Amino acid sequence: MVERVVATDKAIELIHFLKDKYGKGLTFHQSGGCCEGSKPLCFLEDEFKVGQIDVLLGYVDGDVPFYMHENLYNYSKHTQHVLDVVDSFGSGFSIESIENKSFLIRARVFTDEEYAEVKQIIANEKAVG
């Protein structure tokens, strides 16, 4: 099955560190707005309220949901979103920033076959939900 969001080993390592440090689950959200909204923000699971127009792309590290604002998703739905991390001060709202790390998204365009599968996933989600 094609995954709409995946994470690099470096991102998974930081996710594990943050889960251990805070003793809680995490949630990612990318709004696509200006400034800090253009990067994925990482929150403790109980500190972010998902909106009605946020799209669940999938889960990284098995249980960490990754949401994206519908407008940004519609613009980028033909790509696989690859969660990565760099050494840099990122958003003050994202919990990795105090570790001098910053999550970011890299993108890979789906093949025609993969995108056909993604469109079927989207159709199934709309039928259920």
Side-chain angles (χ1 to χ4, degrees), residues 14-53:
L14 183 55
I15 288 168
H16 288 183
F17 172 82
L18 294 170
K19 284 179 174 180
D20 290 344
K21 179 176 182 173
Y22 293 102
K24 293 184 175 185
L26 306 173
T27 298
F28 283 95
H29 184 267
Q30 189 169 0
S31 71
C34 73
C35 309
E36 296 301 333
S38 60
K39 69 179 277 313
L41 300 179
C42 182
F43 301 96
L44 297 176
E45 65 185 339
D46 57 353
E47 292 186 356
F48 182 78
K49 184 170 172 66
V50 176
Q52 292 180 351
I53 58 174

